[in-house]
Amino acid sequence: MGALAIRRIYAGLSATVLAFVLLPLVAIVWVSFFENRILSFPPTGYTLSWYARAWEQEAFRNGFLTSVETALCAVIISLGLGVPASLALVRYRSPGRDAIQTLLLAPMVVPGIVGGAALFIAFIELEVLIDRDVTGTFGGLLVAHGLIALPWTVRLVTAGLAGANSSCEEAASSLGATPFTVFRRVTLPMIRPAIVAAALFSFVISFIDLEKSIFLVGPGRTTLQIALVSYLEWNLDSTVAAVATVQILIIGTLLIVSDRYAKLARAF
């Protein structure tokens, strides 16, 4: 088999895989413009009214705002914990470093539904211990979303630190700079792209979460993903497709920007 034939086979397989990934997204965007009152093929026409209807739904509107608020808080939590942890893992040799790194990355490999159930049970036990509400509170939801985002922050910032030139930090230290000054004036500028990418990716991971949120949201509060699932129980129209299209646009934009700052392939 010649090299040309191999390239054609490889191109065909790549196109097939890419189509398998993209076609469902294209279908959702297409369906969001259907005029049909009940979702069916072929469409009788096209309209933008489903986008307006989605925003008029209080559950979607409040869910979107809650998801954005939760994701922003998750970014702050993940950066506040993940950046110092990554710095300690990469720049300092300490006993148990591998075990700590495994612990920090563990939420990434635990199935979401298992992690959500485990947090729910842990919060119930904590409530019994301290005699205060934890499950169903916004604080409990933030803890869960912080855990979702933390592993990705650690991976991206660790990759950024591993690729940074540590000799610049050593030179600054040898000239009398304090550790904080070295971090602020030398280390931080070098890893700023990784931190920006970690913040954006943490926002995405938190924003799209369903498994943990469904266990931990309280009465009168819902996230956008839960609102979508609840709507689908009783409705079958293009409103959900319109909401999903907006999510695809937001998430796709954030991932493209994240990859611009730090190649996400290095985090996988």
Side-chain angles (χ1 to χ4, degrees), residues 119-135 140 143:
L119 279 173
F120 178 75
I121 295 171
F123 286 169
I124 293 294
E125 295 294 332
L126 183 60
E127 286 181 354
V128 174
L129 182 64
I130 66 176
D131 194 27
R132 294 188 62 180
D133 290 337
V134 179
T135 306
V143 170

Side-chain angles (χ1 to χ4, degrees), residues 160-199:
L161 283 167
N165 188 359
S166 60
S167 61
C168 297
E169 298 170 311
E170 296 170 358
S173 297
S174 66
L175 293 173
T178 64
F180 178 74
T181 301
V182 172
F183 174 76
R184 183 172 60 89
R185 301 292 296 274
V186 180
T187 308
L188 191 59
M190 289 193 297
I191 64 171
R192 185 177 290 117
I195 292 175
V196 172

Side-chain angles (χ1 to χ4, degrees), residues 51-213:
Y51 290 88
R53 175 179 170 82
W55 185 250
E56 291 170 358
Q57 297 284 325
E58 185 178 359
F60 287 147
R61 191 168 60 250
N62 292 341
F64 175 79
L65 296 176
T66 298
S67 292
V68 170
E69 182 182 4
T70 305
L72 290 174
C73 292
V75 169
I76 295 172
I77 293 170
S78 67
L79 291 180
L81 297 175
V83 173
S86 300
L87 188 64
L89 290 171
V90 175
R91 292 290 187 258
Y92 302 99
R93 302 287 178 179
S94 59
R97 185 182 66 165
D98 292 339
I100 294 172
Q101 185 171 18
T102 300
L103 180 64
L104 290 172
L105 298 179
M108 185 182 297
V109 298
V110 175
I113 196 72
V114 175
L119 279 173
F120 178 75
I121 295 171
F123 286 169
I124 293 294
E125 295 294 332
L126 183 60
E127 286 181 354
V128 174
L129 182 64
I130 66 176
D131 194 27
R132 294 188 62 180
D133 290 337
V134 179
T135 306
T137 64
F138 187 60
L141 186 63
L142 291 184
V143 170
H145 280 251
L147 288 175
I148 295 170
L150 180 60
W152 298 101
T153 296
V154 171
R155 294 199 72 164
L156 286 166
V157 177
T158 298
L161 283 167
N165 188 359
S166 60
S167 61
C168 297
E169 298 170 311
E170 296 170 358
S173 297
S174 66
L175 293 173
T178 64
F180 178 74
T181 301
V182 172
F183 174 76
R184 183 172 60 89
R185 301 292 296 274
V186 180
T187 308
L188 191 59
M190 289 193 297
I191 64 171
R192 185 177 290 117
I195 292 175
V196 172
L200 294 172
F201 205 73
S202 295
F203 183 94
V204 170
I205 292 298
S206 173
F207 186 78
I208 66 176
D209 176 76
L210 171 65
E211 296 89 347
K212 290 183 176 65
S213 300

Side-chain angles (χ1 to χ4, degrees), residues 219-242:
R221 184 182 291 272
T222 186
T223 64
L224 183 58
Q225 314 308 321
I226 297 175
L228 282 171
V229 173
S230 300
Y231 187 86
L232 279 172
E233 288 187 58
W234 307 104
N235 302 274
L236 188 62
D237 56 35
S238 295
T239 304
V240 170

